[in-house]
Amino acid sequence: MSSPSKRREMDLMKLMMSDYKVEMINDGMQEFYVDFNGPSDSPYQGGVWRIRVELPDAYPYKSPSIGFVTKIYHPNVDEMSGSVCLDVINQTWSPMFDLVNVFEVFLPQLLLYPNPSDPLNGEAAALMMRDRTAYEQRVKEYCEKYAKPENVGAAVEDQSSDEELSEDEYASSDEGVAGHADP
């Protein structure tokens, strides 16, 4: 059981048996989505986020790559890419940790105790330090808009259609400007 591939299988099965919805991305066991519920007694309560997990070949000796697919407003999560700034995952990972630790301990702790002094989302960090109530209200707005439980599976499609809509808006406004330039 000491080989990385056996450990990867064991950790993935343990995660699936812990009542997390896990959706494989490819045929292999290295990339998958996990649906993650916001912790109770936090502004994230009631939200459900789709998390993309990639396990490196050297897992568990090398940390998994974790990113939010569903938009979230948090100082330590990049709003555009979903990248997570979390020391335990990024710097102090140990083979003693497993995937269940990520979803039952590390991510809930990240959401419960944001660190605005090490931000990936500078706007969220500044708002949190300046006005905690307004910050928590913005978190709840993002939960309501993006992290509804019924929308979690459609997160990838929703984001791509939003981007297409934005591009269409830019294209139509450019045509209007070009049309006015010619007499």
Side-chain angles (χ1 to χ4, degrees):
M1 259 325 212
S2 61
S3 77
S5 64
K6 290 279 188 200
R7 170 67 187 270
R8 186 173 20 255
E9 289 175 28
M10 188 174 72
D11 282 5
L12 192 53
M13 293 307 290
K14 188 175 168 186
L15 185 66
M16 289 175 172
M17 294 175 74
S18 298
D19 293 329
Y20 288 98
K21 181 175 182 260
V22 178
E23 183 181 318
M24 305 310 290
I25 295 175
N26 298 317
D27 291 338
M29 298 180 102
Q30 290 189 263
E31 295 180 65
F32 48 92
Y33 296 116
V34 178
D35 293 350
F36 171 72
N37 293 290
S40 302
D41 301 324
S42 79
Y44 299 97
Q45 181 174 342
V48 180
W49 288 267
R50 178 151 282 202
I51 308 293
R52 182 183 172 106
V53 180
E54 290 183 47
L55 301 179
D57 290 335
Y59 178 87
Y61 304 105
K62 190 169 186 291
S63 67
S65 173
I66 306 289
F68 282 80
V69 176
T70 311
K71 275 192 169 203
I72 186 169
Y73 193 76
H74 191 284
N76 308 115
V77 179
D78 183 277
E79 190 173 358
M80 297 307 290
S81 71
S83 296
V84 175
C85 180
L86 186 59
D87 285 346
V88 173
I89 293 174
N90 297 329
Q91 295 163 8
T92 58
W93 177 262
S94 160
M96 304 246 328
F97 301 135
D98 64 19
L99 294 172
V100 172
N101 291 126
V102 170
F103 290 96
E104 291 187 357
V105 180
F106 305 150
L107 287 179
Q109 291 290 314
L110 176 75
L111 297 189
L112 288 167
Y113 307 106
N115 179 4
S117 62
D118 186 20
L120 285 175
N121 181 338
E123 179 198 330
L127 183 60
M128 182 183 172
M129 290 191 291
R130 187 176 64 248
D131 185 345
R132 184 70 181 229
T133 304
Y135 164 78
E136 290 183 1
Q137 183 57 42
R138 179 82 48 89
V139 167
K140 290 175 184 173
E141 289 168 8
Y142 268 60
C143 288
E144 183 61 30
K145 186 172 183 180
Y146 301 108
K148 288 182 183 174
E150 62 269 19
N151 295 344
V152 77
V156 177
E157 292 82 13
D158 287 350
Q159 288 177 354
S160 63
S161 65
D162 287 349
E163 290 169 8
E164 290 167 12
L165 184 65
S166 298
E167 289 170 10
D168 291 344
E169 288 171 6
Y170 292 131
S172 64
S173 65
D174 288 346
E175 290 169 8
V177 171
H180 292 295
D182 291 334

